[in-house]
Amino acid sequence: MPQRALRPEILAPAGNAEMLSAAVFSGADAVYLGFAGFNARRTAGNFTPDTLADAVAFCHGRGVRVHAALNILVYESELPALADAIRCAARAGVDALIVDDLATSALAKRIAPDLPLHGSTQMSIHTPEGARQLADMGFERAILARELSLEEIRAICQASPIETEIFIHGAMCMAVSGQCMMSAFLGGRSGNRGACAGPCRLPFDAGDLRPGQPGKACHLSLKDMDLIPHMADIMAAGVASVKIEGRLRTPEYAAAAVTACRLARAGQPYDEALVRDIFSRSGFTDGYFTGRNDGRMFGVRTEADAARTRAATPKARELFRREYERVPVDFSLTVRQDGAGLTAADRDGHTVTVSTPAGAPLSPARSDPGPALDRSLAKTGGTPFLAGERVILQQGGPWFLPGSAANELRRRALDALLAARSVPVPYAIHPAELPDFPRRAPAAPPKLAARFERAEQMPDAAAGLALLILPLAQADLVPQPLRGKTLLELPRVMFAPGGEEVVRRRTRAAAGQGFAGFVVNNLAQFRFAKGLGLPLYGGLGLNVTNPLAAQRCRQLGAEGLLIHPETPLRDMAGIAGQGPAAALCYGHIPLMLTRACPLKNRPDHASCAGCSHAGRLRDRKGKDFPVRCALPDNGVRTIYNPVPLYMGDRLRELPADWAVAAFTIETKARAAQILAAICAVRPFDGDFTRGLYYNEPAKG
């Protein structure tokens, strides 16, 4: 077990150089920044190879760590540029890479094996086994999902062999990070690829509306998280790092949040009003952390909020006018008749010495010069240094050294020490060439498989298919004759009370009931699904969009996988070339997987008691988005695209071994109709979409 930090790292956002400076000057222990277009905030200022090196030097000189985010899903054509970005980060000497795609972690281990890896929140790590799996894969930190309670965080920290990091303040996505496709499918801008357009801030109304009436309420918009008041509980839980969200915010926002976290960590009061006024959506929520998952979690940014921000900005700007003094420095001043020399040493092994100009002998002192010289050495204000031990040696004196000369020595010594601390310390870079990935050769159309949300949905025609997929919770309802060709799908998240242990127990119980295998949807599940004697396959939750990630899944134990539906057709062949692969040919895409319930904005749904676990959200264009609740199975709700993906008339264009028709909100009769249309290669009989299959990758 790792040694627990007594005081968690305060990790601040740095969307650009000005924000980075504000975070550092206000006392952040570390910053995280985007780099080279491969990060989840591609619209932030971000950093180039040159400015990244400058940023690392600036931070390291001041004792601040730098975490570089390379945390988006990538396509095969982007892998060479991704490898270059990793090399650049290693040369700059960043302290860690924040990664999401399994390809990024695999490349980083090949190129710079000593460079620490942090598993991004987009990896959906939310259980003890998830943290252990990251440890097995060589990660040094797990950035946990934002939807966790204190009890859940504590359990992960106690079980984790590696550090844990949580978000303590800032905006919350409605969806579980890494499990959202709303921006991609509604607007062509993928949140999984760093280009989220923020559709959850638009109207999605759970209220009673006339058919076709546009929605006006924003029932997918959560208030910002604020857990700063819970800092003592977070520290006691063993969290190693508390992260402030907000690379798209302002320097003043970063400074206000950092200052509040720093004071709260020290057990001191902080300016709660300033934290609220600098940015909020009519207040904050701690609903996940405290287990109060209800309609009070939702909120929108109002003009009154914006006015408070404008009024608070000058006050927040004062928080980073001067450098935060944090680096202890010890001084040794030697005064001789022929001049003086000053040695400055930090506690990290850096030592510098400066001297007065030659040829300017000193005069004897008329009184003890020690106190005045000590005061000169103690004046480190306006620098990142904090005066430590001060030793003054008089050789043959005492000699009079003017205060101006002592001050100049101190300034020159601190400048030299800062420069020494800022010298980059690169990681060793190993040669690592990308292979020529084999591609799936043109062949017959993919075989047809079907995935059903419920066993009762399966029409008679399903028995004629070679492969079926059903959720693990439906195992007991699958007819015995069909089990030999049925894969049981493990849930993408396991938030219900005891969720991970429930899934583990069900998986073990199902292993001996004649099923064909399991579909793994979270990295945690490899740990308890392996060794049960059944094949494993990677599911939607693993987010595989390139062949290197597919190879990594196979190394973890997956014999095949489902290609993520944000992957264009031209990128699928490389993934399928690494082993059996499936692609969706039909289905209402699950746009969001969320622990918060938008239906709780309805007065009659304030409590789960009596809820039908089904509803809808009306968007601003009058379209209804189905909402389905999986309680109590895994504690989440799914919001589906009302327009289904359909490729049934173009199966030959899917470069995959299997085409999966995924049935979720359909009736049994409707499922039969759609299967018949696919088998007959007929066009769809209603509105449909081809999704992103014919899209070009979005440019960073």
Side-chain angles (χ1 to χ4, degrees):
M1 303 293 289
Q3 184 176 357
R4 298 303 176 195
L6 296 178
R7 56 195 301 273
E9 166 191 83
I10 296 171
L11 178 57
N16 53 44
E18 186 181 6
M19 185 180 254
L20 180 142
S21 178
V24 172
F25 275 32
S26 56
D29 301 307
V31 297
Y32 64 102
L33 49 81
F35 169 57
F38 290 102
N39 70 92
R41 290 292 183 269
R42 295 167 84 173
T43 55
N46 293 316
F47 291 80
T48 66
D50 290 337
T51 59
L52 176 67
D54 293 340
V56 174
F58 175 84
C59 289
H60 283 183
R62 292 158 172 81
V64 176
R65 294 175 290 278
V66 178
H67 304 169
L70 295 174
N71 59 339
I72 66 166
L73 302 183
V74 298
Y75 297 136
E76 181 179 355
S77 61
E78 298 169 323
L79 291 175
L82 177 63
D84 287 342
I86 294 169
R87 294 184 188 99
C88 184
R91 283 193 292 268
V94 302
D95 297 277
L97 291 182
I98 303 171
V99 306
D100 171 16
D101 198 309
L102 293 176
T104 310
S105 59
L107 271 179
K109 284 297 180 185
R110 295 181 191 180
I111 294 170
D114 297 327
L115 179 52
L117 296 181
H118 294 177
S120 172
T121 190
Q122 275 81 10
M123 298 184 93
S124 306
I125 301 300
H126 62 287
T127 65
E129 291 288 28
R132 293 188 184 107
Q133 180 63 50
L134 284 192
D136 290 348
M137 295 164 62
F139 284 76
E140 296 194 10
R141 180 181 292 182
I143 305 172
L144 303 183
R146 279 174 263 210
E147 294 77 16
L148 297 173
S149 68
L150 171 60
E151 181 181 352
E152 291 164 333
I153 291 168
R154 184 186 295 117
I156 297 171
C157 290
Q158 290 174 351
S160 177
I162 56 177
E163 292 180 341
T164 57
E165 174 181 308
I166 68 167
F167 283 86
I168 194 169
H169 187 80
M172 287 199 298
C173 297
M174 180 67 182
V176 177
S177 294
Q179 306 300 324
C180 181
M181 292 182 277
M182 179 170 276
S183 182
F185 276 84
L186 298 190
R189 291 176 53 184
S190 169
N192 292 311
R193 290 178 44 76
C196 182
C200 54
R201 303 300 179 189
L202 298 174
F204 283 90
D205 199 327
D208 290 322
L209 301 171
R210 299 187 308 275
Q213 180 182 357
K216 294 184 178 179
C218 295
H219 290 158
L220 288 182
S221 180
L222 293 174
K223 293 178 180 177
D224 276 23
M225 167 198 292
D226 182 33
L227 305 184
I228 301 175
H230 301 284
M231 180 68 84
D233 289 331
I234 291 169
M235 294 170 67
V239 172
S241 178
V242 292
K243 186 175 200 169
I244 300 162
E245 188 280 337
R247 276 186 285 153
L248 297 178
R249 301 270 172 92
T250 64
E252 293 80 10
Y253 165 86
V258 166
T259 302
C261 285
R262 184 166 47 77
L263 292 171
R265 184 178 63 184
Q268 300 175 11
Y270 63 92
D271 193 337
E272 296 183 45
L274 178 60
V275 173
R276 181 192 65 242
D277 292 345
I278 202 64
F279 192 97
S280 83
R281 290 183 167 86
S282 299
F284 298 121
T285 180
D286 59 3
Y288 287 134
F289 189 82
T290 59
R292 295 195 300 267
N293 182 352
D294 55 33
R296 291 172 292 180
M297 294 180 67
F298 295 82
V300 296
R301 178 89 168 149
T302 67
E303 178 51 41
D305 294 328
R308 282 191 287 269
T309 296
R310 290 191 292 271
T313 295
K315 184 177 182 180
R317 194 171 295 135
E318 292 298 314
L319 299 174
F320 58 97
R321 287 178 63 86
R322 291 170 63 85
E323 288 226 34
Y324 180 69
E325 299 172 24
R326 72 174 88 221
V327 181
V329 56
D330 299 325
F331 292 110
S332 177
L333 176 65
T334 301
V335 185
R336 305 176 303 274
Q337 184 179 15
D338 61 350
L342 177 64
T343 296
D346 63 19
R347 311 289 169 82
D348 300 311
H350 302 95
T351 301
V352 298
T353 299
V354 295
S355 301
T356 55
L362 302 181
S363 303
R366 297 178 179 177
S367 59
D368 182 6
L373 292 175
D374 184 77
R375 287 193 296 272
S376 291
L377 296 181
K379 295 177 182 178
T380 58
T383 78
F385 296 103
L386 189 65
E389 294 182 6
R390 298 179 295 280
V391 177
I392 301 172
L393 301 175
Q394 291 277 355
Q395 292 185 352
W399 306 102
F400 174 69
L401 180 68
S404 58
N407 291 338
E408 178 63 17
L409 283 175
R410 184 199 68 243
R411 283 192 291 268
R412 288 170 51 205
L414 292 183
D415 286 346
L417 186 59
L418 183 61
R421 293 175 56 86
S422 302
V423 173
V425 181
Y427 293 89
I429 297 175
H430 296 204
E433 297 297 325
L434 284 165
D436 290 327
F437 296 105
R439 304 180 70 79
R440 182 181 184 273
K447 293 169 284 190
L448 182 61
R451 185 265 185 198
F452 298 93
E453 186 71 22
R454 304 176 306 282
E456 66 192 42
Q457 282 179 300
M458 292 192 295
D460 294 341
L465 298 176
L467 183 65
L468 303 173
I469 306 166
L470 280 101
L472 176 65
Q474 295 283 303
D476 292 343
L477 303 177
V478 179
Q480 192 69 40
L482 299 182
R483 294 188 177 188
K485 58 179 178 181
T486 298
L487 301 178
L488 293 178
E489 179 185 80
L490 279 57
R492 284 192 280 162
V493 295
M494 301 167 283
F495 283 136
E500 184 171 71
E501 186 54 39
V502 170
V503 173
R504 184 201 308 268
R505 187 171 62 248
R506 287 179 173 176
T507 303
R508 288 175 176 170
Q513 296 180 9
F515 290 99
F518 296 107
V519 177
V520 173
N521 267 309
N522 188 279
L523 288 172
Q525 295 161 356
F526 280 111
R527 288 183 59 86
F528 56 77
K530 283 192 295 191
L532 295 179
L534 290 178
L536 303 183
Y537 300 89
L540 177 66
L542 296 184
N543 293 343
V544 174
T545 59
N546 63 73
L548 187 54
Q551 286 184 355
R552 191 72 183 96
C553 281
R554 290 183 65 82
Q555 293 167 359
L556 292 173
E559 296 187 14
L561 54 86
L562 176 68
I563 301 170
H564 194 273
E566 290 187 16
T567 309
L569 293 177
R570 58 174 182 70
D571 285 289
M572 289 185 180
I575 299 172
Q578 313 315 305
L584 289 178
C585 69
Y586 168 80
H588 289 271
I589 297 294
L591 299 179
M592 278 191 175
L593 198 66
T594 176
R595 194 173 192 179
C597 181
L599 302 182
K600 287 188 176 179
N601 288 285
R602 293 172 54 96
D604 56 340
H605 282 65
S607 168
C608 294
C611 178
S612 66
H613 307 306
R616 62 107 189 102
L617 291 167
R618 180 77 54 79
D619 75 358
R620 69 194 191 283
K621 298 179 181 179
K623 279 193 170 294
D624 286 339
F625 288 68
V627 181
R628 297 293 182 268
C629 178
L631 287 174
D633 285 340
N634 55 18
V636 293
R637 294 86 183 164
T638 304
I639 301 166
Y640 292 100
N641 195 348
V643 179
L645 171 76
Y646 187 72
M647 291 289 291
D649 54 345
R650 295 188 178 184
L651 289 186
R652 288 184 175 274
E653 298 180 30
L654 287 176
D657 303 284
W658 293 88
V660 178
F663 298 101
T664 50
I665 62 175
E666 296 83 358
T667 64
K668 180 177 180 178
R670 182 57 176 158
Q673 289 177 341
I674 293 167
L675 282 175
I678 295 172
C679 291
V681 198
R682 291 199 304 264
F684 196 63
D685 59 1
D687 291 340
F688 70 96
T689 177
R690 304 291 188 191
L692 306 179
Y693 284 167
Y694 296 94
N695 282 22
E696 291 294 321
K699 303 300 183 186

